[in-house]
Short mmCIF file of all heavy atoms in Angstrom, two decimals:
data_model
loop_
_atom_site.label_atom_id
_atom_site.label_comp_id
_atom_site.label_asym_id
_atom_site.label_seq_id
_atom_site.Cartn_x
_atom_site.Cartn_y
_atom_site.Cartn_z
N LEU A 1 176.38 191.06 33.02
CA LEU A 1 177.58 191.87 33.14
C LEU A 1 178.00 192.53 31.83
O LEU A 1 178.44 193.67 31.81
CB LEU A 1 178.74 191.00 33.67
CG LEU A 1 180.05 191.72 33.98
CD1 LEU A 1 179.85 192.69 35.14
CD2 LEU A 1 181.12 190.70 34.32
N LEU A 2 177.86 191.81 30.70
CA LEU A 2 178.39 192.31 29.44
C LEU A 2 177.34 192.74 28.43
O LEU A 2 177.65 192.98 27.27
CB LEU A 2 179.28 191.24 28.80
CG LEU A 2 180.46 190.74 29.64
CD1 LEU A 2 181.23 189.65 28.90
CD2 LEU A 2 181.39 191.89 30.04
N ASP A 3 176.08 192.82 28.83
CA ASP A 3 175.02 193.16 27.88
C ASP A 3 174.30 194.46 28.22
O ASP A 3 173.16 194.64 27.87
CB ASP A 3 174.01 192.00 27.78
CG ASP A 3 173.25 191.77 29.09
OD1 ASP A 3 173.54 192.44 30.09
OD2 ASP A 3 172.34 190.90 29.08
N SER A 4 174.99 195.37 28.88
CA SER A 4 174.53 196.68 29.33
C SER A 4 173.80 196.64 30.66
O SER A 4 173.33 197.66 31.14
CB SER A 4 173.63 197.37 28.28
OG SER A 4 172.30 196.86 28.29
N GLY A 5 173.72 195.46 31.27
CA GLY A 5 173.10 195.36 32.59
C GLY A 5 173.93 196.00 33.68
O GLY A 5 173.41 196.70 34.55
N ALA A 6 175.25 195.83 33.61
CA ALA A 6 176.15 196.38 34.64
C ALA A 6 176.47 197.83 34.36
O ALA A 6 176.77 198.21 33.23
CB ALA A 6 177.43 195.56 34.71
N ALA A 7 176.44 198.66 35.39
CA ALA A 7 176.75 200.09 35.24
C ALA A 7 178.18 200.30 34.80
O ALA A 7 178.48 201.31 34.13
CB ALA A 7 176.50 200.81 36.55
N GLN A 8 179.07 199.38 35.15
CA GLN A 8 180.48 199.54 34.82
C GLN A 8 180.84 199.02 33.43
O GLN A 8 182.00 199.01 33.04
CB GLN A 8 181.34 198.84 35.88
CG GLN A 8 181.09 197.37 36.07
CD GLN A 8 180.07 197.09 37.20
OE1 GLN A 8 179.04 197.76 37.28
NE2 GLN A 8 180.38 196.13 38.05
N TYR A 9 179.82 198.61 32.66
CA TYR A 9 180.07 198.12 31.29
C TYR A 9 178.89 198.53 30.42
O TYR A 9 177.96 197.77 30.19
CB TYR A 9 180.22 196.60 31.29
CG TYR A 9 180.92 196.03 30.10
CD1 TYR A 9 182.30 195.92 30.04
CD2 TYR A 9 180.20 195.61 28.98
CE1 TYR A 9 182.96 195.39 28.95
CE2 TYR A 9 180.84 195.08 27.86
CZ TYR A 9 182.21 194.98 27.86
OH TYR A 9 182.86 194.46 26.76
N ASP A 10 178.93 199.78 29.95
CA ASP A 10 177.79 200.31 29.21
C ASP A 10 178.24 201.54 28.44
O ASP A 10 179.40 201.96 28.52
CB ASP A 10 176.64 200.63 30.16
CG ASP A 10 175.27 200.64 29.49
OD1 ASP A 10 175.23 200.48 28.24
OD2 ASP A 10 174.27 200.81 30.19
N THR A 11 177.32 202.15 27.72
CA THR A 11 177.59 203.42 27.05
C THR A 11 176.77 204.52 27.71
O THR A 11 175.66 204.27 28.21
CB THR A 11 177.22 203.36 25.56
OG1 THR A 11 175.84 203.02 25.41
CG2 THR A 11 178.07 202.33 24.84
N TYR A 12 177.32 205.74 27.71
CA TYR A 12 176.67 206.86 28.38
C TYR A 12 176.68 208.10 27.50
O TYR A 12 177.67 208.40 26.81
CB TYR A 12 177.40 207.16 29.70
CG TYR A 12 177.21 206.08 30.73
CD1 TYR A 12 178.15 205.04 30.85
CD2 TYR A 12 176.12 206.08 31.59
CE1 TYR A 12 177.99 204.03 31.80
CE2 TYR A 12 175.95 205.08 32.54
CZ TYR A 12 176.88 204.05 32.63
OH TYR A 12 176.70 203.07 33.58
N ALA A 13 175.55 208.82 27.53
CA ALA A 13 175.43 210.05 26.76
C ALA A 13 176.11 211.20 27.47
O ALA A 13 176.15 211.27 28.71
CB ALA A 13 173.95 210.37 26.55
N THR A 14 176.66 212.11 26.66
CA THR A 14 177.34 213.27 27.22
C THR A 14 176.50 214.53 26.97
O THR A 14 175.40 214.47 26.41
CB THR A 14 178.72 213.43 26.55
OG1 THR A 14 178.56 213.48 25.13
CG2 THR A 14 179.61 212.24 26.92
N ALA A 15 177.03 215.68 27.37
CA ALA A 15 176.26 216.93 27.28
C ALA A 15 175.89 217.29 25.85
O ALA A 15 174.88 217.97 25.62
CB ALA A 15 177.04 218.07 27.92
N ASP A 16 176.70 216.84 24.89
CA ASP A 16 176.44 217.15 23.48
C ASP A 16 175.77 216.00 22.76
O ASP A 16 175.82 215.92 21.52
CB ASP A 16 177.73 217.57 22.77
CG ASP A 16 178.85 216.57 22.95
OD1 ASP A 16 178.71 215.65 23.78
OD2 ASP A 16 179.87 216.67 22.25
N ASP A 17 175.16 215.11 23.51
CA ASP A 17 174.43 213.95 22.96
C ASP A 17 175.34 213.04 22.13
O ASP A 17 174.87 212.40 21.19
CB ASP A 17 173.23 214.41 22.12
CG ASP A 17 172.13 215.02 22.98
OD1 ASP A 17 171.90 214.51 24.09
OD2 ASP A 17 171.52 216.01 22.56
N ARG A 18 176.61 212.98 22.48
CA ARG A 18 177.52 211.98 21.95
C ARG A 18 177.63 210.89 23.02
O ARG A 18 176.99 210.96 24.08
CB ARG A 18 178.87 212.57 21.62
CG ARG A 18 178.82 213.77 20.67
CD ARG A 18 178.16 213.46 19.33
NE ARG A 18 178.90 212.47 18.56
CZ ARG A 18 179.91 212.74 17.76
NH1 ARG A 18 180.33 214.00 17.63
NH2 ARG A 18 180.52 211.80 17.08
N TYR A 19 178.48 209.90 22.78
CA TYR A 19 178.52 208.77 23.72
C TYR A 19 179.95 208.37 24.06
O TYR A 19 180.88 208.55 23.26
CB TYR A 19 177.80 207.56 23.13
CG TYR A 19 176.31 207.74 23.07
CD1 TYR A 19 175.69 208.34 21.99
CD2 TYR A 19 175.50 207.34 24.16
CE1 TYR A 19 174.32 208.51 21.95
CE2 TYR A 19 174.12 207.51 24.13
CZ TYR A 19 173.55 208.13 23.02
OH TYR A 19 172.19 208.32 22.99
N LEU A 20 180.09 207.82 25.26
CA LEU A 20 181.33 207.24 25.72
C LEU A 20 181.06 205.78 26.08
O LEU A 20 179.99 205.44 26.62
CB LEU A 20 181.88 207.97 26.94
CG LEU A 20 182.43 209.38 26.68
CD1 LEU A 20 182.49 210.17 27.95
CD2 LEU A 20 183.81 209.29 26.04
N ALA A 21 182.03 204.92 25.82
CA ALA A 21 181.94 203.51 26.18
C ALA A 21 182.76 203.29 27.44
O ALA A 21 183.92 203.71 27.53
CB ALA A 21 182.46 202.62 25.04
N VAL A 22 182.16 202.61 28.40
CA VAL A 22 182.79 202.35 29.69
C VAL A 22 182.95 200.85 29.88
O VAL A 22 181.97 200.10 29.75
CB VAL A 22 181.95 202.95 30.85
CG1 VAL A 22 182.54 202.54 32.21
CG2 VAL A 22 181.90 204.47 30.73
N GLY A 23 184.16 200.44 30.19
CA GLY A 23 184.42 199.02 30.46
C GLY A 23 185.26 198.84 31.72
O GLY A 23 186.20 198.08 31.75
N SER A 24 184.85 199.54 32.78
CA SER A 24 185.63 199.56 34.04
C SER A 24 185.23 198.38 34.93
O SER A 24 184.70 198.56 36.03
CB SER A 24 185.37 200.89 34.76
OG SER A 24 185.58 201.99 33.92
N LEU A 25 185.52 197.18 34.48
CA LEU A 25 185.07 195.99 35.22
C LEU A 25 185.86 195.73 36.50
O LEU A 25 185.27 195.46 37.54
CB LEU A 25 185.16 194.77 34.28
CG LEU A 25 184.19 194.73 33.10
CD1 LEU A 25 184.47 193.54 32.21
CD2 LEU A 25 182.74 194.70 33.59
N GLU A 26 187.17 195.81 36.40
CA GLU A 26 187.97 195.49 37.60
C GLU A 26 187.95 196.64 38.58
O GLU A 26 187.84 197.82 38.20
CB GLU A 26 189.42 195.20 37.16
CG GLU A 26 189.59 193.93 36.34
CD GLU A 26 189.26 194.11 34.87
OE1 GLU A 26 188.88 195.23 34.47
OE2 GLU A 26 189.43 193.14 34.10
N PRO A 27 188.06 196.34 39.88
CA PRO A 27 187.99 197.39 40.91
C PRO A 27 188.98 198.54 40.68
O PRO A 27 188.62 199.72 40.86
CB PRO A 27 188.30 196.63 42.20
CG PRO A 27 187.81 195.24 41.95
CD PRO A 27 188.12 194.99 40.50
N LYS A 28 190.22 198.25 40.28
CA LYS A 28 191.19 199.35 40.10
C LYS A 28 190.82 200.24 38.92
O LYS A 28 191.10 201.44 38.95
CB LYS A 28 192.60 198.79 39.94
CG LYS A 28 192.81 197.90 38.74
CD LYS A 28 194.24 197.36 38.67
CE LYS A 28 194.47 196.45 37.47
NZ LYS A 28 195.86 195.95 37.43
N PHE A 29 190.21 199.67 37.91
CA PHE A 29 189.77 200.47 36.78
C PHE A 29 188.53 201.28 37.16
O PHE A 29 188.38 202.43 36.76
CB PHE A 29 189.47 199.60 35.56
CG PHE A 29 190.66 198.79 35.08
CD1 PHE A 29 190.49 197.60 34.41
CD2 PHE A 29 191.96 199.24 35.30
CE1 PHE A 29 191.55 196.85 33.96
CE2 PHE A 29 193.06 198.50 34.88
CZ PHE A 29 192.85 197.30 34.21
N PHE A 30 187.64 200.65 37.91
CA PHE A 30 186.43 201.35 38.36
C PHE A 30 186.80 202.53 39.26
O PHE A 30 186.16 203.59 39.19
CB PHE A 30 185.51 200.38 39.10
CG PHE A 30 184.17 200.98 39.42
CD1 PHE A 30 183.17 201.03 38.46
CD2 PHE A 30 183.90 201.47 40.69
CE1 PHE A 30 181.92 201.60 38.76
CE2 PHE A 30 182.67 202.03 40.99
CZ PHE A 30 181.68 202.09 40.02
N ALA A 31 187.82 202.35 40.09
CA ALA A 31 188.24 203.44 40.97
C ALA A 31 188.70 204.66 40.15
O ALA A 31 188.43 205.81 40.52
CB ALA A 31 189.38 202.96 41.88
N GLU A 32 189.37 204.41 39.02
CA GLU A 32 189.77 205.50 38.15
C GLU A 32 188.55 206.17 37.53
O GLU A 32 188.48 207.40 37.40
CB GLU A 32 190.69 204.98 37.05
CG GLU A 32 192.11 204.70 37.50
CD GLU A 32 192.87 206.02 37.70
OE1 GLU A 32 193.49 206.50 36.73
OE2 GLU A 32 192.82 206.56 38.82
N LEU A 33 187.56 205.37 37.11
CA LEU A 33 186.34 205.90 36.52
C LEU A 33 185.65 206.89 37.46
O LEU A 33 185.39 208.05 37.09
CB LEU A 33 185.39 204.76 36.17
CG LEU A 33 183.97 205.19 35.74
CD1 LEU A 33 184.00 205.84 34.37
CD2 LEU A 33 183.05 203.97 35.74
N VAL A 34 185.37 206.45 38.68
CA VAL A 34 184.60 207.30 39.59
C VAL A 34 185.43 208.47 40.09
O VAL A 34 184.89 209.53 40.43
CB VAL A 34 184.04 206.47 40.76
CG1 VAL A 34 183.00 205.48 40.23
CG2 VAL A 34 185.13 205.74 41.52
N ARG A 35 186.76 208.31 40.13
CA ARG A 35 187.62 209.44 40.53
C ARG A 35 187.52 210.57 39.52
O ARG A 35 187.30 211.74 39.89
CB ARG A 35 189.06 208.98 40.68
CG ARG A 35 190.03 210.12 41.03
CD ARG A 35 191.47 209.66 41.01
NE ARG A 35 191.94 209.29 39.68
CZ ARG A 35 192.32 210.17 38.75
NH1 ARG A 35 192.23 211.49 38.99
NH2 ARG A 35 192.75 209.74 37.55
N VAL A 36 187.64 210.23 38.23
CA VAL A 36 187.57 211.25 37.20
C VAL A 36 186.17 211.84 37.11
O VAL A 36 186.01 213.05 36.91
CB VAL A 36 188.01 210.68 35.85
CG1 VAL A 36 187.87 211.73 34.74
CG2 VAL A 36 189.45 210.19 35.90
N LEU A 37 185.16 211.01 37.30
CA LEU A 37 183.80 211.49 37.27
C LEU A 37 183.44 212.35 38.49
O LEU A 37 182.45 213.10 38.46
CB LEU A 37 182.81 210.33 37.19
CG LEU A 37 182.70 209.57 35.87
CD1 LEU A 37 181.74 208.39 36.01
CD2 LEU A 37 182.21 210.51 34.75
N GLY A 38 184.22 212.23 39.56
CA GLY A 38 183.93 213.00 40.76
C GLY A 38 182.85 212.40 41.64
O GLY A 38 182.21 213.13 42.42
N VAL A 39 182.65 211.10 41.55
CA VAL A 39 181.60 210.44 42.36
C VAL A 39 182.17 209.31 43.21
O VAL A 39 181.43 208.43 43.66
CB VAL A 39 180.47 209.89 41.46
CG1 VAL A 39 179.76 211.02 40.73
CG2 VAL A 39 181.01 208.86 40.47
N ALA A 40 183.48 209.34 43.47
CA ALA A 40 184.12 208.25 44.20
C ALA A 40 183.54 208.13 45.62
O ALA A 40 183.47 207.02 46.18
CB ALA A 40 185.62 208.46 44.27
N ASP A 41 183.12 209.24 46.22
CA ASP A 41 182.59 209.18 47.56
C ASP A 41 181.22 208.50 47.61
O ASP A 41 180.84 207.92 48.62
CB ASP A 41 182.49 210.59 48.16
CG ASP A 41 181.63 211.52 47.30
OD1 ASP A 41 181.59 211.32 46.06
OD2 ASP A 41 181.00 212.44 47.86
N ARG A 42 180.47 208.55 46.52
CA ARG A 42 179.16 207.92 46.48
C ARG A 42 179.16 206.53 45.84
O ARG A 42 178.17 205.79 45.97
CB ARG A 42 178.19 208.83 45.70
CG ARG A 42 177.80 210.09 46.49
CD ARG A 42 176.97 211.02 45.62
NE ARG A 42 177.76 211.73 44.64
CZ ARG A 42 177.26 212.46 43.67
NH1 ARG A 42 175.94 212.59 43.53
NH2 ARG A 42 178.06 213.10 42.82
N LEU A 43 180.24 206.18 45.18
CA LEU A 43 180.32 204.88 44.51
C LEU A 43 181.75 204.37 44.63
O LEU A 43 182.50 204.32 43.65
CB LEU A 43 179.93 205.05 43.05
CG LEU A 43 179.38 203.84 42.28
CD1 LEU A 43 178.19 203.24 42.98
CD2 LEU A 43 179.01 204.23 40.86
N PRO A 44 182.16 203.96 45.82
CA PRO A 44 183.57 203.60 46.06
C PRO A 44 184.04 202.30 45.46
O PRO A 44 185.25 202.06 45.35
CB PRO A 44 183.64 203.55 47.59
CG PRO A 44 182.25 203.19 48.00
CD PRO A 44 181.35 203.88 47.03
N ALA A 45 183.11 201.41 45.06
CA ALA A 45 183.49 200.11 44.54
C ALA A 45 182.53 199.69 43.44
O ALA A 45 181.41 200.22 43.36
CB ALA A 45 183.46 199.07 45.66
#
């Protein structure tokens, strides 16, 4: 869960090859993540 294995706790590259850190472990935080990313319909939980 905490060593980059989980998708909801990892770092991700952006369009300019910089990075964002994601720690959306709890369901309510994860819901915010996928809502802003625009993928809530494909990854609801």
Side-chain angles (χ1 to χ4, degrees):
L1 185 65
L2 302 179
D3 66 356
S4 78
Q8 57 267 44
Y9 199 87
D10 203 355
T11 58
Y12 291 92
T14 55
D16 53 348
D17 291 322
R18 305 302 297 274
Y19 288 88
L20 290 161
V22 173
S24 309
L25 292 175
E26 293 81 358
K28 61 181 180 180
F29 300 153
F30 188 80
E32 283 286 270
L33 170 71
V34 294
R35 178 186 66 80
V36 177
L37 286 177
V39 296
D41 57 330
R42 287 174 285 172
L43 204 56

